Amino acid sequence: MINRRALLTAGLTMVLGVSVSLTAGCGDGTAPGGSRLLVGVDYPRSDTDFWNSYIRYVPQFADELGVELKTTNSQNDIANLISNAQTFMSQGVKGVVMAPQDTAAIAPTLAQLDSKKIPVVTIDTRPDTGNVFMVVRADNRAYGIKACQFLGTKLGGKGKVVMLQGGLDSINGRDRTEAFNECMRDKFPGITVFGEATDWKADVAAAKLQTRFASDPDIKGVYMQSSFALSGTLQILKQRGLQVPPSDPKHVFVVSNDGIPEELKNIGEGLIDATVSQPADLYARYGLEYVKAAIEGKTFQPGPTDHGSNIIQVREGLLEDQLPAPLVTLDGAPVAGEPTLKFDDASLWGNNA
């Protein structure tokens, strides 16, 4: 295992050859007067395994960084998030970490925080408008492309697949959907894609998948844009007698997106075929590191980082640290020329949760 405390206390990030200390100042996360930096963290929801894992990681890294936390949970409701941000301001936080699921409606709140000189780091999602100190997420377009390449290759470029989309009011849902559709159109034109919007809701995903199978029983692939749809998808496949090995002509190839422990277990058991491992642990770690750096007045530039990611400039004044998110498969063999990780690889956070 990586010694996270040693990495954090080493405290140097290299970006375009510029050394930027993430733990400068008092060196232990304390403000000049000796008090710990007070940071507000809003958890976006607690009804999925992925976000519950993120919630467990946040206090661990806060403790390592010496950051004091105020936490709220907006429960996938933008009105709650706006109210929670007001609470943070009244509590005197010095910075905020959030993951707005409605990436358009959060803009006025970001402007208000900015007017009060409270830096914001968003994790997992990027605001449609307005600026934050740093966006910490993975390349969500790459999620859609990896799922497309896997399904397109396994199906030999022919057949029907269902894409259980997330919420299209979220940059994540749009990125994954657009990239998957574009890849299928360009690389596998013989595959028909049925896009089903779900608003990240498990019951909606299950109902729409059931309906699609009723009208098109010859579906051969399913792309779930998040593990929220995992349980319902597996139940439907079982009910229809389609939980069979990949060597069986009836097999339906399933790609998920999150990398939670249950998905990795399901891959090993042959219940699903692949997932994209979204880094819940690194979201927690770098969300806090960047908000702490912002409070301490540090700046960053586009370029490679010392933690295997790349900072890009999304638009003027907005940077995004795109963390690695590998495709995970049963055997770890390359797919369409791209590397994958084996489901039991020790480097996957889902195997250490």
Side-chain angles (χ1 to χ4, degrees), residues 224-244:
M224 302 180 291
Q225 289 189 0
S226 169
S227 58
F228 75 93
L230 180 63
S231 178
T233 296
L234 292 180
Q235 184 177 7
I236 290 168
L237 293 177
K238 183 177 181 179
Q239 289 172 348
R240 300 185 71 85
L242 298 175
Q243 281 189 343
V244 294

Side-chain angles (χ1 to χ4, degrees), residues 102-181:
D102 185 329
T103 52
I106 195 59
T109 300
L110 295 179
Q112 186 178 13
L113 288 162
D114 183 59
S115 72
K116 294 181 177 296
K117 308 300 182 186
I118 301 174
V120 175
V121 172
T122 65
I123 59 98
D124 180 57
T125 64
R126 178 206 309 147
D128 293 356
T129 59
N131 292 332
V132 297
F133 179 77
M134 183 69 74
V135 176
V136 178
R137 66 196 286 254
D139 183 349
N140 277 246
R141 286 188 59 83
Y143 293 179
I145 292 170
K146 290 175 181 180
C148 161
Q149 290 176 333
F150 182 86
L151 290 175
T153 300
K154 295 299 182 181
L155 272 59
K158 299 178 181 179
K160 300 176 181 179
V161 302
V162 176
M163 172 170 50
L164 296 175
Q165 302 162 324
L168 298 183
D169 57 354
S170 161
I171 186 67
N172 289 357
R174 294 195 299 272
D175 275 357
R176 298 175 199 184
T177 296
E178 290 168 5
F180 186 84
N181 283 333

Side-chain angles (χ1 to χ4, degrees), residues 12-41:
L12 292 179
T13 295
M14 297 301 297
V15 182
L16 285 184
V18 178
S19 177
V20 182
S21 175
L22 289 184
T23 51
C26 297
D28 60 357
T30 57
S35 60
R36 289 190 168 197
L37 296 176
L38 183 61
V39 171
V41 177

Side-chain angles (χ1 to χ4, degrees), residues 8-9 23-30 65 292 296:
L8 291 168
T9 55
T23 51
C26 297
D28 60 357
T30 57
L65 283 165
K292 180 171 175 285
E296 295 174 344

Side-chain angles (χ1 to χ4, degrees), residues 41-95:
V41 177
D42 182 78
Y43 301 136
R45 57 196 302 173
S46 54
D47 57 349
T48 70
D49 289 343
F50 177 82
W51 285 115
N52 283 328
S53 295
Y54 170 76
I55 289 170
R56 288 194 297 271
Y57 281 119
V58 167
Q60 296 177 29
F61 286 112
D63 182 61
E64 292 186 4
L65 283 165
V67 172
E68 182 180 349
L69 292 177
K70 293 288 187 181
T71 62
T72 56
N73 192 319
S74 52
Q75 297 292 3
N76 201 29
D77 187 319
I78 187 62
N80 288 342
L81 177 54
I82 292 169
S83 175
N84 293 343
Q86 299 296 324
T87 298
F88 286 148
M89 285 184 268
S90 70
Q91 292 172 330
V93 301
K94 302 302 182 183

